[in-house]
Amino acid sequence: MTLSVFVRQNVGDYFALRVQGTYPNRVDVLFQFSTKTFTTSEGGVDFQLISTNYDDYKNGWYRLSFKYETDSAATCAVLFSPRTIAGQVDSTDGASDSSVFLWGSQCEYNDLSSFIPTTTGSATRELEACSVTTPSGVTQIVETFSDDTTNTITSIPTTYTISSGKVKKVIMT
């Protein structure tokens, strides 16, 4: 599963998240705004943290996400806690006025996708694809991904479809 939420700092330097199955089985994630780092822990058994990630939207908003494997519980609880000092969702904080702005939390099976707005129930989105007619004279297409790796295409298709993943830019020459 992958949990994500858009968050913006208000009061306090930390934001704690927890996904919990049958207690004490859980994953705790703590994001520190000032350093843009995660601190993580696992509790109980049968819960495993796979990865954490954040996207910085440069306007104060971050999309935090973490991927995990769950226990056999039929449901999971998701808990959020703005914090002034480091700690888990249920640990004591030194201030009572810690706060963040939240928007668009979603939990997905497998990998993170773009935000899926819903008002009731769950929704599944079909695979998204972006295709364009390749301009004449193009001899090379270079895709740059969010992790700054690149993919160079020299066998130029008539219709170019952007590769899967977080593509940061595409240059056709």
Side-chain angles (χ1 to χ4, degrees), residues 65-135:
S65 62
F66 63 97
K67 190 171 187 173
Y68 59 95
E69 289 188 10
T70 66
D71 61 7
S72 59
T75 60
C76 288
V78 177
L79 307 162
F80 300 131
S81 176
R83 303 186 53 80
T84 300
I85 60 174
Q88 296 175 341
V89 167
D90 57 357
S91 61
T92 303
D93 196 354
S96 61
D97 63 345
S98 300
S99 61
V100 296
F101 299 97
L102 293 177
W103 183 81
S105 177
Q106 64 188 45
C107 190
E108 305 174 75
Y109 184 72
N110 281 331
D111 296 321
L112 184 65
S113 69
S114 57
F115 178 68
I116 304 170
T118 60
T119 55
T120 58
S122 62
T124 302
R125 176 180 298 136
E126 297 300 319
L127 178 66
E128 297 173 325
C130 178
S131 298
V132 295
T133 301
T134 307

Side-chain angles (χ1 to χ4, degrees), residues 9-69:
Q9 181 180 12
N10 191 33
V11 177
D13 191 30
Y14 298 90
F15 181 63
L17 305 94
R18 173 180 286 171
V19 174
Q20 179 176 302
T22 305
Y23 191 82
N25 301 333
R26 67 187 182 275
V27 170
D28 284 297
V29 175
L30 181 71
F31 181 73
Q32 185 174 9
F33 290 99
S34 62
T35 61
K36 299 179 185 175
T37 58
F38 289 98
T39 303
T40 64
S41 65
E42 299 169 359
V45 294
D46 299 329
F47 248 76
Q48 178 184 5
L49 179 68
I50 297 169
S51 63
T52 59
N53 187 55
Y54 73 89
D55 291 314
D56 185 347
Y57 285 83
K58 306 297 182 195
N59 60 0
W61 284 94
Y62 296 88
R63 186 179 191 191
L64 307 181
S65 62
F66 63 97
K67 190 171 187 173
Y68 59 95
E69 289 188 10

